[in-house]
């Protein structure tokens, strides 16, 4: 099994619908992240969480919300999806004991299309 | 603010040849870390190589090596003996102690048989 699992792998949804992307990890890491990848823009940070009670906005949080249900689970919600939220979404984890200096561990991504 | 610039949106290389992907960054910190990630068509983000800013020696991982020029804030990736499996998007990324991992816009590498 993958260390960081994202579901669904692909999703097509309609404008205005609420959608949740889920992420779970078996790395035992305490820090979790949501990134968005767009062509020509690279990966940009949406939200991050350093522990269950700590949620922080990233570079592009507008239109998104997150929930850290447990140390191993971090979900991303789009309350009312719009077409420009069509993108590839990545969940990542890191360990506070090393401060992420060895890089983050990424899931396989969720490709979201909003029509 | 963190910035990471990859000025080559696309690159190509002949199989078995060598290619260098460019990356520049900006930071006011003296202690930081630099990374190259590979994203093949499977979408998985794979860490290729990392460099610690306080180490002068360039990192090497098999056919992958970096040219780290701290004063110039440059961190290029050299791929030697290119293979078809090296075809992917490559992202340069930077991290300081306090900040999160910050990515460049990526370079798409094509390997020509």
């Amino acid at each position: 099994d993958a260390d960081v699992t994202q579901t669904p792998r692909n999703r097509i949804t309609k404008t205005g619908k609420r959608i949740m992307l889920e992420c779970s990890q078996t790395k035992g890491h305490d820090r979790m992240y949501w990134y968005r990848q767009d062509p020509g823009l690279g990966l940009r940070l949406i939200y991050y969480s350093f522990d269950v009670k700590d949620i922080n906005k990233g570079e592009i949080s507008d239109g998104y919300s997150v929930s850290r249900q447990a140390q191993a689970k971090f979900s991303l919600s789009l309350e009312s999806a719009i077409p420009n939220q069509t993108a590839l979404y990545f969940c990542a984890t890191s360990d506070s004991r090393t401060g992420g200096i060895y890089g983050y561990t990424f899931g396989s991504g969720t490709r979201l299309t909003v029509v | 603010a963190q910035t990471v610039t990859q000025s080559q949106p696309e690159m190509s290389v002949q199989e078995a040849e060598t290619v260098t992907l460019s990356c520049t960054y900006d930071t006011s910190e003296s202690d930081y870390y630099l990374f190259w990630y590979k994203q093949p068509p499977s979408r998985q983000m794979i860490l290729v190589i990392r460099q610690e800013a306080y180490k002068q020696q360039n990192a090497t991982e098999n056919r992958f090596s970096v040219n780290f020029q701290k004063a110039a804030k440059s961190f290029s990736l050299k791929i030697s003996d290119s293979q078809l499996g090296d075809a992917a998007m490559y992202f340069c990324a930077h991290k300081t102690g306090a900040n999160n991992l910050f990515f460049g816009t990526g370079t798409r590498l094509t390997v020509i048989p």
Side-chain angles (χ1 to χ4, degrees):
Chain A
D1 289 342
D3 293 326
V4 182
T5 302
Q6 291 185 235
T7 55
R9 179 166 173 79
N10 300 290
R11 179 73 181 268
I12 300 173
T13 192
K14 293 184 177 181
T15 297
K17 292 290 187 181
R18 183 180 188 275
I19 183 169
M20 179 182 291
L21 310 183
E22 299 189 3
C23 177
S24 63
Q25 53 112 346
T26 58
K27 296 286 290 183
H29 289 169
D30 49 348
R31 297 181 174 184
M32 298 186 73
Y33 311 83
W34 277 103
Y35 282 87
R36 166 179 172 160
Q37 181 182 348
D38 296 278
L41 297 178
L43 280 76
R44 294 177 293 165
L45 185 63
I46 306 172
Y47 269 95
Y48 61 101
S49 170
F50 282 178
D51 66 39
V52 175
K53 296 181 180 179
D54 180 67
I55 303 288
N56 304 279
K57 293 182 177 180
E59 187 184 353
I60 53 163
S61 60
D62 287 350
Y64 302 95
S65 63
V66 292
S67 174
R68 185 83 183 265
Q69 302 95 325
Q71 186 181 46
K73 295 183 183 294
F74 191 37
S75 58
L76 176 72
S77 293
L78 288 68
E79 297 301 325
S80 179
I82 57 177
N84 77 359
Q85 291 177 313
T86 292
L88 182 57
Y89 291 85
F90 283 101
C91 175
T93 72
S94 72
D95 190 340
S96 62
R97 292 172 295 180
T98 58
I101 66 173
Y102 297 102
Y104 296 176
T105 301
F106 284 83
S108 296
T110 293
R111 183 167 299 284
L112 177 67
T113 303
V114 183
V115 298
Chain B
Q2 288 177 287
T3 62
V4 176
T5 302
Q6 293 182 250
S7 59
Q8 307 154 316
E10 297 183 349
M11 291 283 285
S12 61
V13 62
Q14 207 76 30
E15 194 175 4
E17 296 296 311
T18 296
V19 65
T20 298
L21 309 184
S22 301
C23 174
T24 59
Y25 59 93
D26 193 17
T27 181
S28 58
E29 303 287 330
S30 59
D31 189 19
Y32 52 88
Y33 304 85
L34 296 162
F35 307 85
W36 278 99
Y37 277 86
K38 171 184 178 182
Q39 186 184 52
S42 67
R43 302 188 329 210
Q44 187 68 42
M45 293 288 286
I46 302 165
L47 180 61
V48 174
I49 199 165
R50 65 184 283 274
Q51 175 79 40
E52 297 165 346
Y54 63 87
K55 288 189 176 179
Q56 293 186 345
Q57 186 173 4
N58 289 325
T60 299
E61 291 287 344
N62 300 313
R63 297 183 295 107
F64 297 86
S65 61
V66 299
N67 183 4
F68 174 48
Q69 301 289 327
K70 190 171 184 178
K73 296 181 179 176
S74 171
F75 181 61
S76 59
L77 175 70
K78 186 172 83 170
I79 306 174
S80 304
D81 185 25
S82 297
Q83 301 175 0
L84 295 178
D86 295 333
M89 281 289 290
Y90 287 83
F91 291 100
C92 178
H94 167 272
K95 186 185 185 320
T96 65
N99 292 329
N100 294 308
L101 197 59
F102 190 89
F103 288 86
T105 53
T107 297
R108 181 173 300 281
L109 178 67
T110 300
V111 180
I112 302 165

